[in-house]
Amino acid sequence: MTTADPLVARLAEVVGPTQVLDDPGSCAAFETDWTGRWQGRARAVVRPADTAEVAAVVTACADQGAAIVPQGGNTGLVGGSVPRDGEVVVSLTRLDDLGPVGVDAREVTVGAGATLAAVQEHAAAAGLAYGVDLAARDSATIGGTIATDAGGIRVVRYGATRAQVRRLEVVLADGRIVEGGVGDGGGPSGEPADLGSVIGSEGTLALITSARLRLLQPPRHRAVALLAVSDVAAALRAQEVIVRVAGPLEASELVQAEGLRRVVQGTGQRPPFAVTPPAAVLVEVAGADPVADRLVAAVGAAAEGDPGVLDALVGVDAADRTRLWQLREAHTEALAAAGPVVKLDVVVPLAALAGFVDGLPAIVRGAGGESCEVVVFGHLGVGDLHVNLLGVPTPWVTAVEDAVCAAVVAAGGRPDGEHGVGVQKRAWVPRSRSADEVAAMRATARAFDPAGLLNPGVRLPD
Ligand code: FAD
Ligand code: MLT
Ligand code: ZN
C-alpha cells in the first residue's frame, strides 16, 4: 500500500495493509478481464478474509460514496468484473471456506470465493456432485457463478446456477449482512428475505459472501459421443433422436470445423475425424447402470436415414471421454491464442437456431467484418451459443456486435445469455426486454442499492 487516500487507509485498518493493493503493478491482474478487452484503474483492490470484513469494507466505501466492483475469479467474459472509473475492487477469493457436506440433505454451504473445482471435489469426496460445470472451473468462484447465473456444460440436464442455490448470505450496499432463502430453497416459510434476485445480478445488487448449494447423486456410468454433422440443422435433428432413444442428456454441445481445427492445433490432439466436418455435436448420457449400449443405439438411430450425420465416435472409458470433451472445452483458450476475439454469448430458440447460425457469416460481412472468421460453439441443448469473431477491424467492432445482436432479437432470442449483460450488452437490454421489464430491473436496483454504488456501468443501461 502506497497512497495517502483516507479511504484506502481505512480499508487497510479493516483488512490489514497487506490485503489492500493500490500500486499499479499489484493491481494490474485485477484491473484487466480474462479477454484483455476490458480494463480500467481501481482506486484500490481490497481482499477481505470473511463476511464481517466484507461488511466493514462496504460500510467504509458507502460512508465515502465510493463505488465498488465485486470480483471473484475474474473469468467473466462481458467486462463486469473489472473497474471502469476508479472503483474499489473487492476481491472475494479469500472467502473460500468449504462447510461439511450434508449427505442426507444433499447440500453444502461454501464461501463465495471457493472455486467451482474446489466445490466439485469437496462434494465428490462425500459421494455427491455439484450440478454446474464449466471450463473455467479452476478459477471461477461460486460467488461469480451465482452473480452471473452461469450455465455451463451441464445446463441441459441440471439447469443453470439458480437451480442449485438454496440460501445466500450477502452484504448489502450499506454494509448490512443479510441471509435468506432463494425461492423455496429451504428457509422457514414466510421468511422476510428472498434473495433470488441477487442471482444473475452481476454484482449490482449485493456482494455474495456464502451460499448453501444443492448437491446431487452422481450417475455411476457415463458415455460420450461426438457426431460429425453437415450443419446445425443436422446437429439438432441428431440431438432430438438421441434424446428420444437414450433419454435425457447430461450434455449436448455444438462445435464447428474452424473451432475444431484450432483446438486440434492448440492441444496437439489428433483430429477426431479423417475429414473435419462442418460441425459436430458432443452428447453425454449417464445413469446408474451402464449406458454405452444405449448411446451406441441412439447414435445409430440418429445416423439411420439422415445424410446429415457423417460420422461418429463413442467414448466410454474415462480417457476417451476426456479426449472427446477436450475437443469442446479447449475452444475458449484455442481461440484466444489466435488473437483478439469478439465474443458474443447469445440465446436463440431452437426452432430458429440453424437459420441464425447459417446466416451469421453474411451478417458479419455486411456489418464491416468482411475478412472475419466466424466460429460458433456452445450449449446446443438450450440454444445458448457463443459467437466468436476473429479479425474484426477495431473500428467495426460495435457495428458487428450490433448486427449480431439485432439478428438474435429478430430470431426471437436474447443477446445476453449465460455470461450476462456486463458492460458489453448494456445497450441491448432495452432493445431485448419490454419497457416494463427494464423498469422492474431499475426498481430492484434502487431498492437494493439506492446510491448506485455497486458495479455502476454494468447490466443496467444509463
Ligand atoms: P468474475 O469474473 O470475477 O465476475 C463476474 C461477475 O460477477 C461480475 O459482474 C462481478 O462483479 C460479479 N461477482 C463476482 N463475484 C461476486 C460476488 N461474490 N458477489 C457479487 N458479485 C460478484 N460462463 C458460463 O456461464 N458458462 C460456461 O460454460 C463458461 N465457460 C467459460 C470458460 C472459460 C475458459 C472462461 C474463461 C469463462 C467461461 N465462462 C462461462 C464465463 C465465466 O467463467 C463465468 O461467468 C463465471 O460465472 C464467472 O465467475 P468468476 O468467479 O470468475 O466471476
Ligand atoms: C464455454 O461454454 O466454453 C464458454 O461459455 C466460454 C466461451 O464462451 O468462450
Ligand atoms: Zn458457455
Side-chain angles (χ1 to χ4, degrees), residues 379 386 418-419:
H379 316 293
H386 307 315
E418 59 174 8
H419 297 167

Side-chain angles (χ1 to χ4, degrees), residues 80-227:
S81 54
V82 291
R84 291 156 292 282
D85 192 19
E87 297 89 349
V88 173
V89 171
V90 179
S91 166
L92 293 135
T93 53
R94 292 178 69 215
L95 278 73
D96 59 356
D97 282 355
L98 300 171
V101 172
V103 175
D104 293 336
R106 290 197 192 160
E107 62 181 25
V108 65
T109 299
V110 302
T115 63
L116 196 48
V119 172
Q120 289 168 345
E121 282 159 25
H122 187 55
L128 295 174
Y130 182 52
V132 177
D133 195 14
L134 39 94
R137 60 183 73 81
D138 291 328
S139 309
T141 62
I142 287 299
T145 52
I146 294 172
T148 56
D149 191 16
I153 54 180
R154 305 279 168 206
V155 66
V156 69
R157 181 74 173 94
Y158 303 109
T161 300
R162 178 181 292 280
Q164 332 298 332
V165 179
R166 285 203 159 130
R167 293 182 72 73
L168 288 177
E169 179 194 69
V170 305
V171 171
L172 299 176
D174 59 5
R176 279 177 297 159
I177 301 167
V178 177
E179 206 220 321
V182 169
D184 65 351
S189 64
E191 188 179 44
D194 183 336
L195 295 174
S197 40
V198 172
I199 302 173
S201 67
E202 303 182 62
T204 62
L205 298 186
L207 284 81
I208 299 156
T209 46
S210 88
R212 190 189 298 170
L213 306 171
R214 285 192 168 81
L215 299 177
L216 51 97
Q217 193 69 53
R220 290 182 51 217
H221 299 272
R222 295 181 185 277
V224 176
L226 185 70
L227 285 82

